[in-house]
Amino acid sequence: MNRIQQAAEVIRTEADALLNLTHKLDDNFDKAVTAILESQGRVIITGIGKSGLIGRKIAATLSSTGTRAVFMHPVEAMHGDLGMVSPKDVVLAISNSGETIELNHLLPSIKALGCPVVAFTGNPKSTLGQHADLVIDTGVEKEACPLGLAPTSSTTAQLAMGDALSVVLIDAKGFKPDDFKKFHPGGALGQRLSLQVSEMMVTGEMVPLVAASASIGDALAALDARRLGAVFITDDKGLLLGLLSDGDVRHLMAAEGFDPARPVSEVMTRSPRSVAINAPAYDALNMMEAHQITVLPATDDQGRVKGLLHLHDILGKGAFQFNGN
């Protein structure tokens, strides 16, 4: 078996495990959903090792979709973190074998608090299964690991069951896209980055343009009038020939023999970087970041200047900041 075949076999094995999981769903799943909906507290998710990592992801998904959730490490819980748990919470304990010592040592203390315990386990008859109030079977026939040792199919099953729980809760709570946005304020930037350059660029008379025959003084006047950080030099057909930025001007004025009557074509940056008007904004942002620039001419497929895109236009006129500054 070559590497591609082996990889395909891993995917098939895990896919089969997920399909078999649908047959394990029973009333306990529905009761778990009801317990979470009726709870006045949070979902406390706990597990160790790979199951713990899956638990962290489930907690993140629940939290971002309207169900308050937090991950609690079993060992840390035995050394004080159990204080975060209240009788109003629902505890979701994850262990494929159901015999994880650190997790099972925690169960009596959780039960003493009066929290309902939901278990994701591949062994319903295990210690975890016997102590849980509700058992959701996430067992798999075999791991994708050829040695049968590394958690592969089993962790995929746990993750899928966590997603199933989260999505059912989304529907049960009537969670809407507007609610999702409230929990993802940074998503506003993501929305802007998915727009085309043409949807946010400066256009028309606001674009600072001068002809190739213009003087440096003419370019400075256009630069000062628009205050956008650069002026574009074009030919009589509107094709982009060059660019003069604020930084270029500072260098020119610092040099000896500065002459504002000198043709701007002699000092401009020729064939400057530009972005297509139909390109996504994230392409422009990547270009700006890679080359440490804040302004880009936006051109059509003929190379004619149609607009100007400033970093502030992408980030939302001061709504976002780089580097925490």
Side-chain angles (χ1 to χ4, degrees), residues 55-118:
R56 291 179 188 275
K57 196 280 179 183
I58 295 173
T61 300
L62 287 170
S63 296
S64 68
T65 53
T67 299
R68 292 188 299 156
V70 65
F71 179 80
M72 178 179 69
H73 194 285
V75 175
E76 297 297 333
M78 295 300 292
H79 293 274
D81 278 7
L82 191 60
M84 73 171 65
V85 184
S86 80
K88 296 180 179 180
D89 297 326
V90 174
V91 173
L92 172 58
I94 306 174
S95 170
N96 183 46
S97 69
E99 299 296 347
T100 304
I101 295 174
E102 298 89 346
L103 182 58
N104 289 341
H105 281 176
L106 186 62
L107 292 177
S109 298
I110 293 175
K111 298 287 285 187
L113 290 171
C115 299
V117 176
V118 179

Side-chain angles (χ1 to χ4, degrees), residues 29 41 62 68 129 144 177 214 249 290 294 299 303:
F29 183 91
L62 287 170
R68 292 188 299 156
V249 172
T294 58
T299 59

Side-chain angles (χ1 to χ4, degrees), residues 249-262:
V249 172
R250 287 194 295 271
H251 291 308
L252 284 172
M253 296 186 72
E256 293 184 9
F258 173 70
D259 181 7
R262 186 178 176 189

Side-chain angles (χ1 to χ4, degrees), residues 151-299:
T152 44
S153 300
S154 58
T155 47
T156 299
Q158 292 168 352
L159 183 60
M161 192 64 78
D163 285 343
L165 183 64
S166 300
V167 172
V168 170
L169 285 166
I170 288 174
D171 184 67
K173 288 172 175 282
F175 195 76
K176 303 297 183 184
D178 285 346
D179 299 315
F180 188 83
K181 291 178 183 178
K182 293 176 185 177
F183 295 111
H184 296 75
L189 176 58
Q191 292 174 12
R192 293 188 67 80
L193 291 177
S194 66
L195 296 174
Q196 289 191 346
V197 168
S198 60
E199 297 178 85
M200 59 177 62
M201 66 186 188
V202 173
T203 60
E205 294 183 357
M206 286 301 297
V207 182
L209 298 173
V210 296
S213 59
S215 67
I216 294 177
D218 294 332
L220 289 178
L223 192 63
D224 184 63
R226 299 292 180 261
R227 297 181 181 273
L228 291 172
V231 58
F232 306 143
I233 296 87
T234 60
D235 66 10
D236 55 2
K237 296 181 180 179
L239 294 174
L240 179 65
L241 299 178
L243 175 151
L244 189 71
S245 69
D246 283 338
D248 295 330
V249 172
R250 287 194 295 271
H251 291 308
L252 284 172
M253 296 186 72
E256 293 184 9
F258 173 70
D259 181 7
R262 186 178 176 189
V264 70
S265 58
E266 295 182 7
V267 297
M268 68 183 185
T269 298
R270 296 181 179 275
S271 302
R273 293 179 179 85
S274 62
V275 64
I277 56 175
N278 60 354
Y282 57 77
D283 280 355
L285 183 61
N286 287 338
M287 190 183 302
M288 289 177 176
E289 182 178 7
H291 301 288
Q292 296 294 297
I293 54 179
T294 58
V295 177
L296 282 171
T299 59

